[in-house]
């Protein structure tokens, strides 16, 4: 008995334009679904508040709950500082010091603010108090050294920057600022060495790159 083999007629090929339209429709549907899901579960719940504003908001809440804690005012001042609202930042740091005359973070942040606003004499006086309160703070010594560099008091700057380096030998900023002091004193080879050392720790340190390029052109 012979088995009859039935042949299946091939289906008609899909026209490229039709396939393209189907693909577009499918992709559009996926996009709409994605938008709906994103809006429902992610986008409206995502906090887009700028970081400085968020710091201020949180610090204000802490101040309201605990108005006698100097840390809360320093945190609030830091938020204002990030927005370059120096007057409000200054007011908060001073409030912290009104509560605690020996509160080191307030002196440190206030000194940095004075450097940022070009009040270098005030920065030196303030950061000296920070160093006195925390003699093992590399950050206090560093910023005092920066303030001295700005005042062209390079010997004093080197003393503070070397003290900072002993406490934090891997800090590229400290190494760079030592280079600045040497450069201003005319000790070009010493300055180059410092800038090169900073770049060995951080090859992307732009200030050190520019300084070294400047000296190599001389």
């Amino acid at each position: 008995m012979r088995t009859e083999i039935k042949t299946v007629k091939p289906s008609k090929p899909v026209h490229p334009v039709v396939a393209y339209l189907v693909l577009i429709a499918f992709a559009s549907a996926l996009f709409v679904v994605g938008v709906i899901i994103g809006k429902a579960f992610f986008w409206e719940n995502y906090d887009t508040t700028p970081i400085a504003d968020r710091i201020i908001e949180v610090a204000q809440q802490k101040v309201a709950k605990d108005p006698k804690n100097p840390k809360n005012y320093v945190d609030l001042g830091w938020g204002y500082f990030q927005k370059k609202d120096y007057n409000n930042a200054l007011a908060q740091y001073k409030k912290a010091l009104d509560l605690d005359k020996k509160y080191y973070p307030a002196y440190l942040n206030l000194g940095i603010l004075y450097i940022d606003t070009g009040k270098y004499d005030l920065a030196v006086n303030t950061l000296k108090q920070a160093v006195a309160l925390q003699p093992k703070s590399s950050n206090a010594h560093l910023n005092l050294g920066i303030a001295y560099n700005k005042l062209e008091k390079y010997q004093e700057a080197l003393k503070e920057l070397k003290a900072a380096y002993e406490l934090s030998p891997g800090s590229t900023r400290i190494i760079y600022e030592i280079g600045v002091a040497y450069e201003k004193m005319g000790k070009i080879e010493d300055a180059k060495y410092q800038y090169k050392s900073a770049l060995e720790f951080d090859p992307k340190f732009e200030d050190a790159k520019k300084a070294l390029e400047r000296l190599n052109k001389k």
Side-chain angles (χ1 to χ4, degrees), residues 3 16 33 47 58 77 86 89-90 133 159 173 192 200 217:
T3 303
V33 171
D47 187 358
V58 172
Y86 296 120
L90 178 66
L133 289 167
K159 178 184 175 182
R173 190 73 204 182
K192 284 183 179 181
E200 285 176 5
K217 289 178 181 178

Side-chain angles (χ1 to χ4, degrees), residues 27-126:
S28 299
L30 284 179
F31 176 76
V32 171
V33 171
V35 169
I36 293 170
I37 293 173
K39 187 174 181 181
F41 295 100
F42 299 104
W43 298 342
E44 291 183 354
N45 298 320
Y46 185 73
D47 187 358
T48 57
T49 306
I51 185 64
D53 290 335
R54 184 61 182 154
I55 292 171
I56 291 170
E57 180 184 343
V58 172
Q60 285 174 334
Q61 292 171 0
K62 290 181 178 179
V63 167
K65 290 180 180 178
D66 189 4
K68 292 187 178 181
N69 188 340
K71 179 182 183 301
N72 296 335
Y73 293 97
V74 170
D75 290 346
L76 183 54
W78 176 246
Y80 285 125
F81 180 84
Q82 292 295 305
K83 295 189 70 171
K84 298 190 181 300
D85 186 349
Y86 296 120
N87 289 333
N88 271 322
L90 178 66
Q92 301 309 317
Y93 295 150
K94 288 187 173 180
K95 285 179 183 177
L97 289 173
D98 286 341
L99 289 169
D100 185 351
K101 298 294 184 186
K102 295 184 178 180
Y103 193 59
Y104 158 77
Y107 285 110
L108 177 64
N109 283 30
L110 185 56
I112 293 171
L113 183 150
Y114 284 140
I115 290 174
D116 246 42
T117 53
K119 299 175 181 178
Y120 305 124
D121 286 312
L122 288 173
V124 164
N125 292 335
T126 304

Side-chain angles (χ1 to χ4, degrees), residues 151-165:
L151 288 171
E152 300 181 0
K153 295 182 178 182
Y154 304 120
Q155 291 293 350
E156 292 92 334
L158 283 174
K159 178 184 175 182
E160 296 301 328
L161 292 168
K162 287 178 179 179
Y165 181 78

Side-chain angles (χ1 to χ4, degrees), residues 8 15 26 30-31 96 103-104 113 125 127 134-135 178 180 183 197 199 204 209 212:
V8 179
H15 195 282
F26 181 69
L30 284 179
F31 176 76
Y103 193 59
Y104 158 77
L113 183 150
N125 292 335
L127 290 164
Q134 293 286 346
I178 292 173
V180 171
E183 182 180 354
S197 298
L199 288 170
K204 295 181 180 180
K209 275 185 185 179
L212 189 57

